[in-house]
């Protein structure tokens, strides 16, 4: 049995993006913002994603400019950090995930929260002007909001796309309603590391 | 502004799995197979996933036994390999992704296919009795079927969950219809590295 299928990577990309643009309602966005949503759809295979996407008006420009100026990309999960395509980054930006730091387990016990949320504390000194990317843990997104309440420096933009059933939707609503930092969220339960990394990859480069 | 949210990781897991089981139609599966589907739902946040899941009757037992006996886990993408929780593996199984192997770019040109599909060739000697996990590239799944046609040794089980718009649905249908190896697929466009890694993590351990 032989299968007939497209083997050229660039042709697969070209057709994929054409299908996405022909089937999705992308009218709320243009330019970089549109590119971000298209790439998130590409990562999840779902053309109905736009109905759950919410983005502040300043998100795309702020996130893009931050990356161009060398801002670090602070990720809540290793799968997110791993999904960021290094060759697309405009300024050899650092991609950071603090989850494996030896201080995290003790810090989590001390703060009474998840390891992922505790790891955010280790970002504090790099937060100013950064791109924060939460693709896994709602607790990390809630913790970020608490840190901002406590006077932590502001990131340039926050991609808040945790996935799941407990706290995910609530944490994303809280980020969007907070309004202090440029944000991108996917309302509801959907999200995850692949979508989050895809958003970073779209902000990083216009190449499709 | 203070947010009220659950911070205990084990409580978040417990509630998440309870919500998934209360909202999803899991009647086709029991035991390990049910656990696999539940964990895939957990990874994507979508309780309607079961309608697209197809699994051969021997998949769960064969995949679980392979891992217990020390089979390597051969992944098409680094995000898949990265999503496998090492502490859950029953026999310190190797988790392999050949994409960064220096031979891959030349091999891709030679075979006229994607780097991901070319990387499969480097698995050939480890295929017998392995757990193959395709979470990204339809071309990798098609290539696996071609290798089996050409007499490559059979894996113990194949998790075939590439995501996307060009070839993804077709590659998964082809795997399911092929029937030579125990398989798990998600029909249609949905899939991805997080779901694929979640299936491995469920096969690897009964702990939730």
């Amino acid at each position: 049995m032989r299968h007939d299928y497209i083997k050229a990577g660039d042709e697969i990309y070209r057709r994929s993006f054409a299908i996405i643009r022909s089937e999705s309602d992308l009218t709320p966005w243009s330019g970089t913002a549109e590119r971000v949503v298209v790439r998130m759809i590409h990562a999840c295979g779902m053309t109905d994603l736009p109905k759950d996407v919410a983005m502040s008006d300043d998100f795309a420009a702020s996130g893009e400019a931050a990356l161009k100026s060398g801002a670090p990309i602070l990720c809540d999960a290793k799968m997110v950090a791993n999904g960021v395509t290094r060759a697309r980054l405009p300024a050899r930006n650092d991609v950071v995930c603090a989850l494996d730091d030896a201080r995290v387990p003790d810090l989590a016990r001390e703060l009474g929260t998840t390891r992922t949320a505790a790891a955010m504390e280790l970002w504090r000194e790099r937060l100013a002007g950064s791109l924060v990317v939460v693709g896994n843990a709602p607790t990390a997104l809630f913790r970020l909001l608490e840190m901002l309440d406590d006077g932590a420096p502001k990131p340039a933009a926050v991609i808040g796309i945790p996935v799941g059933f407990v706290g995910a939707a609530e944490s994303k609503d809280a980020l969007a309603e907070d309004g202090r930092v440029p944000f991108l969220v996917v309302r509801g339960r959907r999200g995850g590391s692949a979508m989050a990394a895809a958003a970073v990859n779209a902000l990083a480069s216009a190449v499709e």
Side-chain angles (χ1 to χ4, degrees), chain A:
Chain A
M1 176 183 54
R2 293 289 153 176
H3 303 283
D4 188 25
Y5 62 97
I6 305 174
K7 298 186 180 74
D10 53 354
E11 177 66 7
I12 294 170
Y13 269 96
R14 200 191 59 72
R15 290 202 194 190
S16 296
F17 286 111
I19 292 169
I20 291 166
R21 289 197 165 91
S22 75
E23 292 187 21
S24 309
D25 178 8
L26 300 162
T27 45
W29 305 286
S30 63
T32 304
E34 188 256 12
R35 212 169 65 216
V36 166
V37 179
V38 166
R39 211 168 182 95
M40 287 164 67
I41 295 170
H42 182 253
C44 70
M46 297 180 285
T47 54
D48 74 329
L49 193 72
K51 71 180 167 63
D52 291 336
V53 172
M55 201 188 297
S56 63
D57 291 341
D58 50 1
F59 168 80
S62 183
E64 196 171 28
L67 290 181
K68 282 200 174 118
S69 71
I73 302 166
L74 310 178
C75 309
D76 74 326
K78 284 184 281 183
M79 278 187 84
V80 175
N82 210 263
V84 173
T85 306
R86 301 311 194 265
R88 297 179 65 88
L89 298 177
R92 297 169 155 270
N93 311 251
D94 280 348
V95 182
V96 180
C97 175
L99 206 50
D100 279 342
D101 190 290
R103 293 167 288 178
V104 166
D106 281 348
L107 201 55
R109 269 187 295 273
E110 190 184 310
L111 297 170
T113 189
T114 64
R115 291 192 308 119
T116 313
M120 312 275 299
E121 285 297 328
L122 303 176
W123 291 350
R124 195 179 278 263
E125 65 193 32
R126 303 197 73 180
L127 266 181
S130 68
L131 177 63
V132 171
V133 192
V134 176
N136 183 39
T139 50
L141 202 45
F142 279 127
R143 184 74 195 161
L144 175 68
L145 294 173
E146 290 170 355
M147 288 168 68
L148 293 174
D149 285 345
D150 293 342
K154 280 191 200 173
V158 178
I159 296 172
I161 319 187
V163 60
F165 299 89
V166 175
E170 295 82 353
S171 70
K172 293 180 283 192
D173 289 346
L175 174 66
E177 274 131 45
D178 183 83
R180 273 176 297 188
V181 288
F183 68 88
L184 163 67
V185 300
V186 175
R187 303 265 189 188
R189 292 168 168 179
R190 291 192 290 186
S193 47
M195 247 184 247
V200 177
N201 290 334
L203 278 182
S205 166
V207 174
E208 294 194 333

